[in-house]
Amino acid sequence: MDVISQREFRNNSAAIMDGVEAGKTYYVTRNGVEIAELRPIQRRRGLTSEELCAKHRKLPRVDAELLRQEADEFFGSEDRIGD
């Protein structure tokens, strides 16, 4: 973590952003007081189709009749348009 002034950030923003992109974190100060943290965002990697299928196989089976019964009990079945 590096501490930089607002002026330094303004004057060297391209180099600082390159540092952030490389994983560095900066604290930005104004008049000697830390006011901001500049850090890379944590992005989640997308799943491959194989990983997604493996996760899907681990899910519990859904009992469609029980699901319909519970939905009808909760929402009511009289306004249902159709199955």
Side-chain angles (χ1 to χ4, degrees):
M1 165 203 57
D2 290 347
V3 178
I4 57 173
S5 67
Q6 178 183 0
R7 178 176 290 164
E8 185 179 355
F9 178 56
R10 182 190 68 213
N11 292 341
N12 302 311
S13 62
I16 292 168
M17 295 304 283
D18 288 342
V20 170
E21 190 173 31
K24 287 185 80 172
T25 298
Y26 296 91
Y27 285 97
V28 183
T29 63
R30 179 188 294 156
N31 300 323
V33 177
E34 292 178 356
I35 59 165
E37 178 182 13
L38 185 61
R39 59 181 170 80
I41 40 179
Q42 302 295 320
R43 294 203 173 142
R44 293 179 59 179
R45 179 184 64 84
L47 297 175
T48 66
S49 59
E50 292 82 16
E51 292 170 328
L52 189 58
C53 287
K55 285 186 174 285
H56 183 266
R57 281 188 210 100
K58 294 178 183 177
L59 292 174
R61 292 235 176 245
V62 174
D63 182 338
E65 290 181 27
L66 180 59
L67 179 64
R68 168 58 70 193
Q69 178 186 347
E70 290 176 351
D72 286 345
E73 288 172 5
F74 186 80
F75 296 108
S77 61
E78 56 276 349
D79 294 332
R80 188 163 20 118
I81 295 173
D83 294 331

